[in-house]
Amino acid sequence: MEEVIRFALLGCGIGALYALGSQGLIVIYRGSGVLNFAMGAIGMAGVFLQWDLHNQHGWSFWPSVIVGVLFSALIGALTHLLIMRPLRRSSPLVRVIATLGVLVTLQAIAVLRYGSTPRFVLSELPTDIVHIHNTIVISADRLFLLGIAAVLTLGLWLLYRFTAFGLATSAVAENERAASSIGWSPDRIATLNWILGSALAGFAAILIAPIVTLQVTVMTNLILASIAAALVAQFRSFPIALAAGLGIGIAQTELNRYVHQPGFGDSVPFMVIVIVLVVTGQALPLRDYFLQRLPSIGTGRINWRGIAAACAFTVFLMAVLSPQWVDAITTTLCVAFILLSILVVTGYAGQLSLAQYAIAGFGAWVAGRLVDTQGTPFWLALLAGVAAAIPLGVLFALPAVRTRGINLAVVTLGLGTAMELMLFRNPEYTGGIQGTQLGDAHLFGWDINSISHPMRYGVFVLVLFVLSSLAVANLRRGRSGRRLIAVRTNERAAAALGISVPGAKLYAFGVSAGIAALGGILLVFRLTGADYKQFTNFTSITDVGLALLGGIGYLAGPVIGATLTSGGFNQQLLTSIFSDSVGKYIDLIGGISIIVIVLLNQNGIAREQINQLRALRTLLARRIPRMAPRPQQTHELPERAVEPVAPRTLEVRDITVRYGGDTAVDAVSLTVAPGRITGLIGPNGAGKTTLIDAVTGFTRMSGGALHLDGEDITSWSATRRARSGLGRSFQSLELFEDSTVLDNLRVASDPRDGRSYLRDLVWPVNPPLPGEVISAIREFGLADDLDRNVEDLSYGKRRLLAIARAVATQPSVLLLDEPAAGLGDAETAELASLVRRLADDWGMAVLLVEHDMNFVMSVCDDLVVLDFGKQIAAGPPDVVRRDPRVVSAYLGDEDVDDAPVPSARTEEVQR
């Protein structure tokens, strides 16, 4: 027992430093809403400067500490002012990748300046042995570290709890506009928090260097343990972060002592991350900004001439250049596989995975061990490695079912790092001292060994990459691609259309894992022996940045981004033109390029090249008519008679929705019958949208029941309800902005069969538009806009498209949430006629939420009135409009006698 206590005390020292790092993360997140993956690198820069001043220039310890901490603070301030502030309106994906770019840049600079060799640093804190009881002893420096962490935690808690600066930070975190209106500058507050958080990172790095040695990658890897502690604290509580950091440090030391699985103890932070984010389903409270935009994506159309020309040029280079050049081209193509996998999972599905390089390494490990230990032929080991990686990718996707965005990035990075620690760095699993011997690669008797026949191997890799790219292009153009892009753009809207959001995510991770594994296998088989230690978490981070650099939504992007990989084409080019010493700058060039791209063109180099080629083609077309762009395809819409939907009745019985102690909807009952329009009205905050969310499965009900044609659907998911004929529109439209009008309608009407997930990879088939969709296109006047992007439509057209998309699912019951909001009188009158026809001609049961009383009274057969979540009236419009309780709800008790009916006046008062 005494030994357990002794190791627990040892763990308190490292745990205290984890806690300090987590405090810095919390400070920056509270002040700017950014999860700073570069925190470890910022601290690393400070500790290296402190070490340089103290050990190389003879400075005293504490003056060098002050300079090192100030240097980290300066880097933090510059990161915010020059990078993160210009990106404040960008998507969380782009902001995270920006911090990854800072990480790559700082780490590359440190490697160039100090190298990768570990340096042992003596502790300036007292190292005397303190005897606590019998054999329980601890070094004094561990106690000092614990005391420093506790004091700083107390100081931060007091600062943010009781000072004006702390209150201002909390106010900005809640509402930037409101904070600005009372004189608090969100930008200044964010800058101060970046300075403070980065200073904490530098101080923590200086204190931890004597324990973990001074090494570039070690410092940046420690950030994951700090993230785990911050997650437990919900990025809010400094005391909880301290306790979590101590707990993680103690668990690490205890497991390293008693569990003899290499890397298991060091994987504790990642286990904590998975437990917090997956098992509890807790989401990081991401701050939302207006006008967030994801990087754009391509159409997936195949340019056969361009592919043929690119392949011919690549083969020509392999034929005329030296083996070193051929290996650089082959390495570029191998990494391009991994970037192509990121295109699928992040570009198309919107899931930020930082484990793709680890998955690639797993596929390579399976293939390599089969060849080395079982004598498996190369081609069979290749297939086995890919097949083994696919279920691993699906396993890594399970967190994506409950987490998203930055949460998912943290989880996948943790899982990938755990695999690196326990598998790739474990000699017992990688062949011991001799390692994994791969021998010569043969393909059905044909020697394609990259050492003796580099061109053969390079052409083989090229052929597989082209086939993989074609499969991804097919996916993009098929039903599967539309589902992924719908999930990427808006998970709520996708579920409301009957798309299985978990299924789409699992599919994206599975496909991307197979592609990544293919690249990893081809990468290690370039040599006769496999080095699995190259599959590091840092490379996974770098690859995401390179994918964005090339164009994370475009098929040419992976090749463009992969040229900047270490050992790739650009490094060979720099080495050939200048000298061997220049090629070592490739990581620095990559990091700076990532930062520049996210600031100037988040869509990547591929998108810019496409725009330039289009402009050039348009210019040449003036002299060469054959170069003119092809005219847009016209869509012939056959005449189709409106076919009524299957009649179904929705019964809502005593639905109650509570948020904590507040009741938003209180025992509301109503019936929506086929061919009838039921209006749901009430003042703002009455609970109308909450009721629709509860009926469609987006808000958990606290009580009551739902029946669709007599069948209890209360426990059904939103997707299952949508597939059973329960459709809806959204108050905020929630269209798929990255898609055309036609794709918005197709994704709603596409069959939901699972076979398309496989068939689309080979031969995508787009079924003809159903008659109901054609009728909707005509009814809503969208025939001339089918090929237009949603973002190019007028507001009125977007409103109509939102309803048309809901109608395209052929629902029996349609719930419309404020469809006329923002429309003019003429547009509202036209919309009222369309909604009336949905009930009369299509036979739909319609539940209409609307504030325009003239609109409501002109189309509704029945009305239900809510006030403060309670149902106060129900019945025909003529009866409800004269109910004193309704008039009171709208105008107040004093106006009941003067205005007995809801009218334009009530609408004005309500607004």
Side-chain angles (χ1 to χ4, degrees):
M1 185 61 186
E2 291 185 352
E3 185 179 39
V4 173
I5 297 175
R6 186 166 63 250
F7 277 93
L9 292 174
L10 289 174
C12 286
I14 189 71
L17 297 175
Y18 291 161
L20 283 179
S22 69
Q23 315 286 26
L25 288 169
I26 294 173
V27 165
I28 291 177
Y29 185 84
R30 291 181 61 164
S32 64
V34 175
L35 176 55
N36 183 19
F37 278 96
M39 178 71 79
I42 292 174
M44 174 267 300
V47 69
F48 265 108
L49 178 60
Q50 182 273 329
W51 173 86
D52 205 342
L53 294 174
H54 182 53
N55 292 277
Q56 305 300 318
H57 296 84
W59 284 41
S60 298
F61 176 70
W62 287 109
S64 67
V65 168
I66 293 173
V67 173
V69 170
L70 291 176
F71 185 57
S72 292
L74 175 63
I75 295 176
L78 293 175
T79 299
H80 171 70
L81 294 174
L82 301 180
I83 301 174
M84 304 313 301
R85 183 171 64 177
L87 296 175
R88 61 186 179 274
R89 300 300 184 197
S90 300
S91 67
L93 169 65
V94 171
R95 295 200 298 272
V96 167
I97 292 178
T99 66
L100 298 180
V102 174
L103 186 157
V104 173
T105 301
L106 291 177
Q107 185 158 309
I109 293 173
V111 170
L112 291 172
R113 174 66 178 83
Y114 299 104
S116 301
T117 304
R119 291 175 171 82
F120 295 95
V121 180
L122 296 177
S123 176
E124 297 293 333
L125 298 175
T127 57
D128 301 333
I129 300 299
V130 177
H131 293 271
I132 298 177
H133 178 72
N134 292 337
T135 61
I136 301 177
V137 296
I138 187 174
S139 176
D141 61 341
R142 298 301 202 272
L143 295 178
F144 273 94
L145 291 175
L146 181 59
I148 291 171
V151 170
L152 285 176
T153 298
L154 177 62
L156 289 170
W157 181 77
L158 293 173
L159 173 67
Y160 284 90
R161 184 70 179 270
F162 298 108
T163 67
F165 171 73
L167 294 176
T169 299
S170 299
V172 169
E174 291 295 331
N175 191 314
E176 285 191 2
R177 290 187 175 183
S180 299
S181 67
I182 59 176
W184 283 331
S185 169
D187 183 58
R188 184 180 305 157
I189 291 170
T191 303
L192 293 174
N193 278 283
W194 270 86
I195 291 173
L196 179 57
S198 299
L200 286 171
F203 187 54
I206 292 170
L207 294 177
I208 202 174
I211 299 176
V212 299
T213 72
L214 183 58
Q215 188 177 4
V216 174
T217 56
V218 168
M219 290 297 171
T220 54
N221 285 340
L222 290 175
I223 189 63
L224 288 173
S226 298
I227 290 175
L231 282 170
V232 174
Q234 301 181 24
F235 280 79
R236 294 179 181 274
S237 172
F238 296 107
I240 294 177
L242 173 63
L246 294 176
I248 291 172
I250 292 172
Q252 278 188 318
T253 55
E254 296 288 358
L255 290 174
N256 283 331
R257 170 64 182 87
Y258 294 105
V259 178
H260 302 293
Q261 167 67 38
F264 186 79
D266 294 333
S267 300
V268 169
F270 318 122
M271 300 176 189
V272 173
I273 289 172
V274 173
I275 291 173
V276 171
L277 290 181
V278 179
V279 176
T280 65
Q282 184 172 345
L284 185 65
L286 286 172
R287 176 136 1 114
D288 195 15
Y289 290 97
F290 293 103
L291 304 178
Q292 287 184 350
R293 292 300 306 273
L294 291 168
S296 63
I297 53 178
T299 62
R301 294 174 183 170
I302 299 174
N303 184 348
W304 293 106
R305 292 180 181 178
I307 293 174
C311 291
F313 181 67
T314 304
V315 173
F316 172 75
L317 291 179
M318 290 181 179
V320 300
L321 295 177
S322 65
Q324 290 82 2
W325 274 97
V326 176
D327 183 65
I329 295 173
T330 302
T331 299
T332 298
L333 291 173
C334 292
V335 174
F337 278 98
I338 301 172
L339 302 193
L340 185 65
S341 75
I342 296 173
L343 184 151
V344 173
V345 73
T346 304
Y348 289 170
Q351 308 304 304
L352 181 53
S353 171
L354 297 180
Q356 296 306 108
Y357 207 66
I359 294 174
F362 179 77
W365 176 77
V366 171
R369 298 307 296 160
L370 285 175
V371 169
D372 187 23
T373 62
Q374 306 298 321
T376 306
F378 166 69
W379 66 270
L380 184 57
L382 180 71
L383 295 177
V386 172
I390 292 175
L392 178 68
V394 173
L395 180 64
F396 273 40
L398 293 178
V401 175
R402 298 175 65 88
T403 59
R404 56 193 55 81
I406 294 176
N407 300 359
L408 181 61
V410 173
V411 172
T412 53
L413 181 60
L415 291 173
T417 305
M419 182 182 298
E420 174 192 349
L421 294 173
M422 291 192 290
L423 180 61
F424 301 149
R425 294 187 184 181
N426 189 345
E428 295 181 5
Y429 299 147
T430 57
I433 298 177
Q434 294 182 345
T436 299
Q437 300 302 311
L438 304 176
D440 297 334
H442 288 79
L443 188 65
F444 304 113
W446 188 41
D447 187 0
I448 59 171
N449 180 269
S450 63
I451 304 298
S452 56
H453 302 285
M455 181 179 175
R456 293 182 185 177
Y457 191 78
V459 172
F460 174 67
V461 173
L462 175 63
V463 170
L464 290 182
F465 179 75
V466 171
L467 293 176
S468 299
S469 298
L470 292 176
V472 173
N474 291 337
L475 184 155
R476 168 65 182 91
R477 299 194 315 277
R479 283 180 273 170
S480 303
R482 284 194 290 271
R483 293 171 193 165
L484 296 186
I485 293 168
V487 171
R488 169 191 193 260
T489 309
N490 192 314
E491 292 185 18
R492 279 167 49 90
L497 298 178
I499 296 173
S500 173
V501 174
K505 291 180 178 181
L506 294 175
Y507 172 75
F509 269 89
V511 171
S512 68
I515 296 173
L518 187 56
I521 295 168
L522 295 173
L523 187 64
V524 299
F525 273 85
R526 291 169 34 253
L527 305 174
T528 56
D531 178 19
Y532 296 113
K533 292 182 180 179
Q534 66 178 300
F535 295 100
T536 65
N537 61 0
F538 176 74
T539 311
S540 287
I541 293 172
T542 304
D543 284 350
V544 172
L546 295 180
L548 181 74
L549 175 68
I552 205 166
Y554 296 87
L555 292 171
V559 176
I560 297 172
T563 59
L564 280 171
T565 192
S566 180
F569 183 84
N570 283 2
Q571 182 172 355
Q572 181 63 31
L573 181 64
L574 291 174
T575 301
S576 301
I577 295 176
F578 300 101
S579 63
D580 292 340
S581 60
V582 176
K584 64 184 181 181
Y585 290 94
I586 194 67
D587 287 338
L588 177 60
I589 294 172
I592 295 175
S593 299
I594 292 169
I595 295 173
V596 171
I597 284 294
V598 297
L599 289 174
L600 301 181
N601 185 3
Q602 300 170 12
N603 299 322
I605 297 174
R607 172 62 182 270
E608 186 63 28
Q609 290 182 345
I610 291 172
N611 291 338
Q612 292 175 357
L613 289 174
R614 286 176 178 171
L616 178 62
R617 186 172 181 176
T618 302
L619 182 64
L620 293 176
R622 298 175 183 176
R623 297 185 178 182
I624 308 174
R626 293 178 56 188
M627 296 293 295
R630 296 178 182 178
Q632 278 193 343
Q633 179 184 359
T634 58
H635 299 277
E636 296 183 2
L637 301 176
E639 293 291 341
R640 295 287 180 90
V642 174
E643 297 183 7
V645 299
R648 289 177 182 169
T649 300
L650 173 67
E651 296 178 90
V652 177
R653 293 291 174 261
D654 298 323
I655 278 189
T656 299
V657 178
R658 295 188 180 92
Y659 298 111
D662 298 324
T663 300
V665 177
D666 190 1
V668 173
S669 299
L670 56 87
T671 299
V672 188
R676 296 182 66 83
I677 301 177
T678 300
L680 184 63
I681 64 174
N684 283 335
K688 304 181 296 296
T689 297
T690 301
L691 178 65
I692 287 184
D693 284 343
V695 170
T696 52
F698 292 100
T699 294
R700 181 173 297 179
M701 294 164 43
S702 304
L706 293 173
H707 290 86
L708 188 62
D709 251 13
E711 185 174 6
D712 191 344
I713 64 171
T714 307
S715 61
W716 290 8
S717 66
T719 299
R720 188 177 178 186
R721 296 183 194 188
R723 292 183 180 182
S724 299
L726 202 58
R728 70 166 294 178
S729 69
F730 291 89
Q731 181 178 350
S732 55
L733 301 185
E734 305 199 23
L735 297 169
F736 304 130
E737 301 287 341
D738 295 324
S739 303
T740 64
V741 171
L742 181 59
D743 279 343
N744 268 265
L745 297 174
R746 278 195 178 279
V747 76
S749 62
D750 281 339
R752 302 293 179 229
D753 60 301
R755 293 177 299 174
S756 61
Y757 279 131
L758 295 177
R759 185 175 57 193
D760 282 349
L761 294 172
V762 181
W763 191 262
V765 176
N766 289 315
L769 290 173
E772 294 80 0
V773 178
I774 294 175
S775 299
I777 292 172
R778 293 187 181 279
E779 287 277 354
F780 291 90
L782 299 172
D784 296 331
D785 302 303
L786 293 179
D787 290 320
R788 296 179 64 187
N789 288 331
V790 171
E791 60 187 1
D792 297 330
L793 298 178
S794 66
Y795 183 77
K797 285 282 189 180
R798 291 160 65 89
R799 277 283 171 192
L800 293 176
L801 175 59
I803 302 174
R805 189 184 65 180
V807 171
T809 63
Q810 305 171 45
S812 298
V813 181
L814 179 61
L815 290 74
L816 300 176
D817 194 356
E818 298 193 27
L823 299 182
D825 292 340
E827 293 172 314
T828 300
E830 180 183 356
L831 179 60
S833 176
L834 289 173
V835 172
R836 188 66 255 180
R837 290 203 297 272
L838 291 178
D840 295 339
D841 299 341
W842 298 61
M844 291 184 183
V846 179
L847 179 64
L848 174 67
V849 172
E850 184 53 61
H851 286 310
D852 189 327
M853 290 298 105
N854 294 326
F855 182 13
V856 172
M857 294 298 176
S858 66
V859 301
C860 290
D861 301 298
D862 305 286
L863 288 181
V864 175
V865 186
L866 301 184
D867 189 27
F868 293 106
K870 294 180 178 294
Q871 182 174 324
I872 61 173
D878 288 340
V879 175
V880 171
R881 68 189 303 180
R882 292 179 172 82
D883 191 314
R885 293 172 299 175
V886 176
V887 179
S888 175
Y890 275 96
L891 297 178
D893 294 336
E894 66 276 13
D895 296 321
V896 172
D897 295 332
D898 297 331
V901 296
S903 62
R905 166 64 179 156
T906 63
E907 180 185 353
E908 178 183 353
V909 170
Q910 177 205 345
R911 287 178 178 174

